[in-house]
Amino acid sequence: VAADIEKEKTQYNEVLKREKAVNQLMEKVEFALPESAVAEERDAILSETMMRYMQQGVTKDVLEKNKDSLIEGATKDAEIRAKMRIFLSRVAKANKIEVNNEDISRVVWQEAVRAGMKPDEFVKKLRGNQALINRIRGDALMQKTINFIAEKAEVKIKEAK
């Protein structure tokens, strides 16, 4: 049990390190966000949210009644995600970071788990859906770039007392 707790603590600290490193860099940059990038992220967030709610048994009528609130929340999150995606894309390009099949497979597996599907089923869903394929490739590049930033960063995680 102690080994499991230590492993979980180490994994949690790695996640914190990645978040802190990226957030510190993002705070230092300002740039205009293309409306198309925000709209694309908003649509993706809304799609994810709707799928998650429907899997939980929420009816379409309930979702329709809360449409304005869902769109407002998704738009706020979309601005953050769009900024991060553009920023990480620029970092990846400047550092010649590229994704390979292993990186993409990892994201496909993660997305399948998130969607409650078997990876093979998710791959079938990908076939013919170029927008989803591009999003998977983009997510893989984001993850790889975040890992690159975290490796270069000097972030200290303070121990809880």
Side-chain angles (χ1 to χ4, degrees), residues 50-107:
M50 302 290 255
M51 187 175 9
R52 191 172 54 250
Y53 280 143
M54 291 176 83
Q55 286 175 341
Q56 294 172 357
V58 177
T59 64
K60 288 184 180 182
D61 289 340
V62 171
L63 292 173
E64 187 62 36
K65 288 178 186 173
N66 294 294
K67 181 180 175 180
D68 292 339
S69 174
L70 290 170
I71 291 171
E72 183 180 328
T75 301
K76 288 178 185 174
D77 291 345
E79 290 170 356
I80 294 166
R81 273 181 33 176
K83 181 178 180 181
M84 181 177 290
R85 191 173 287 276
I86 292 167
F87 171 76
L88 292 173
S89 176
R90 290 176 181 174
V91 171
K93 186 174 182 178
N95 292 282
K96 297 177 176 58
I97 299 170
E98 296 180 359
V99 293
N100 57 33
N101 288 339
E102 184 180 324
D103 300 320
I104 293 170
S105 294
R106 187 177 315 106
V107 173

Side-chain angles (χ1 to χ4, degrees), residues 99-113 118-120 122-123 126 133 136-137 139-141 143:
V99 293
N100 57 33
N101 288 339
E102 184 180 324
D103 300 320
I104 293 170
S105 294
R106 187 177 315 106
V107 173
V108 166
W109 181 84
Q110 291 168 346
E111 290 298 319
V113 169
K118 293 179 181 175
D120 292 346
F122 191 79
V123 168
L126 282 174
I133 292 168
I136 296 290
R137 185 177 306 282
D139 289 350
L141 183 61
Q143 285 182 12

Side-chain angles (χ1 to χ4, degrees), residues 4-47:
D4 288 342
I5 291 172
E6 191 60 35
K7 181 180 176 184
E8 190 172 308
K9 183 177 157 184
T10 300
Q11 289 174 338
Y12 179 73
N13 284 341
E14 281 300 311
V15 169
L16 283 178
K17 178 182 177 182
R18 284 173 172 72
E19 284 180 14
K20 190 163 182 81
V22 171
N23 288 338
Q24 284 178 347
L25 287 174
M26 296 251 320
E27 288 172 2
K28 295 179 182 183
V29 295
E30 284 296 323
F31 53 88
L33 294 174
E35 185 55 40
S36 61
V38 176
E40 184 179 317
E41 289 296 335
R42 183 192 60 235
D43 292 347
I45 291 168
L46 282 171
S47 177

Side-chain angles (χ1 to χ4, degrees), residues 111-153:
E111 290 298 319
V113 169
R114 188 177 298 142
M117 301 170 78
K118 293 179 181 175
D120 292 346
E121 293 171 2
F122 191 79
V123 168
K124 287 179 185 174
K125 181 181 172 183
L126 282 174
R127 290 197 178 108
N129 187 339
Q130 195 59 47
L132 187 53
I133 292 168
N134 290 342
R135 176 154 294 277
I136 296 290
R137 185 177 306 282
D139 289 350
L141 183 61
M142 282 180 53
Q143 285 182 12
K144 196 166 188 174
T145 306
I146 289 169
N147 290 342
F148 171 81
I149 291 169
E151 288 170 10
K152 302 289 184 195

